[in-house]
Amino acid sequence: MDASRPLGYWLKLVDSLISEQFTVSLEEHGVTRRQWQLLNVLAKGPASGGELTAALAPFFGEPPAEGEPTSPSEHLTELVESGWVQEEGHNFMLTERGATSLDRLTSIVDTMREESSAGVSAEDYATTVRSLRRMALNLGWEDPAAKAP
């Protein structure tokens, strides 16, 4: 019976379970999922507030967890206040403390990912990701990486 459920059902269910797991696991360490995402963007190098907002735009279409800030700037403010991110001019960057914290959080997230994909072969996982990407493109999504010079 479950196999007859449509793709949208499984996508929404898995997405909500991932969000719930992130909330529980990261909350224990004083960060939100969106802050985790901001830290990952900043791990690639300094970025402006606008660049960070653009990078996280897909995630701000989702309702935030209860009590969670609703805009990227609110999340950034908390990261700056915690000493994990610093602002210089109009750019934000990870501090040493933020990079160390991100390393610890990455280990936690890697474990969550391993647990969620247990029993799924690397080949099946890659096929699923490629298929979902293709569906997104078919539905009008434009890959920002494809536009990069």
Side-chain angles (χ1 to χ4, degrees), residues 56-93:
L56 267 63
F59 300 102
F60 277 90
E62 304 168 4
E66 189 175 323
E68 186 176 314
T70 58
S71 73
S73 63
E74 290 175 277
H75 287 281
L76 272 172
T77 298
E78 288 183 10
L79 291 170
V80 170
E81 289 172 356
S82 72
W84 291 15
V85 171
Q86 70 181 27
E87 183 177 8
E88 278 189 25
H90 297 289
N91 286 317
F92 295 89
M93 60 197 70

Side-chain angles (χ1 to χ4, degrees), residues 21 105-117:
Q21 184 67 34
L105 293 170
T106 297
S107 176
I108 292 162
V109 170
D110 287 347
T111 299
M112 286 180 357
R113 287 179 176 154
E114 288 171 18
E115 290 171 355
S116 71
S117 61

Side-chain angles (χ1 to χ4, degrees), residues 41-47 92-93:
V41 172
L42 291 172
K44 297 173 187 169
F92 295 89
M93 60 197 70

